[in-house]
Amino acid sequence: MWTAARVRTLIGRKFHMSYSVSGVTRLLHRMGYSVQMPARPAAERDEDAVTAWREVTWQEVKPSGRRPARSSASRTKRA
């Protein structure tokens, strides 16, 4: 399943254009795409491999979770 963030990244790489995630969502809806989920898990899915990947690989590549601190862009208001 593709997320709007993934589609946004793809658009940026292929067409050198920048969209927001909400803009991508609106664009996809205008093009006739809708949110779809599979009816059942894939028959080839290996739960042991998925668990091992989550425990080892994902821990190495996941984002830190820290977001940039908010600050004021106003020149008259002190942050």
Side-chain angles (χ1 to χ4, degrees):
M1 185 166 89
W2 284 69
T3 63
R6 285 182 177 177
V7 174
R8 175 182 180 246
T9 302
L10 179 67
I11 290 171
R13 288 181 184 169
K14 295 287 281 183
F15 303 106
H16 307 288
M17 297 179 69
S18 177
Y19 276 97
S20 66
V21 174
S22 62
V24 169
T25 302
R26 282 180 287 198
L27 179 67
L28 291 172
H29 281 285
R30 273 188 267 151
M31 294 174 66
Y33 290 95
S34 63
V35 178
Q36 297 179 3
M37 296 288 290
R40 60 187 186 287
E44 301 86 10
R45 184 177 173 106
D46 180 3
E47 289 299 329
D48 294 332
V50 171
T51 303
W53 184 89
R54 282 186 184 146
E55 292 174 355
V56 177
T57 308
W58 177 242
Q59 297 303 319
E60 296 172 7
V61 298
K62 76 176 180 179
S64 66
R66 294 185 56 171
R67 303 219 182 249
R70 291 185 59 141
S71 63
S72 174
S74 172
R75 294 181 182 178
T76 58
K77 182 178 175 184
R78 300 208 185 259

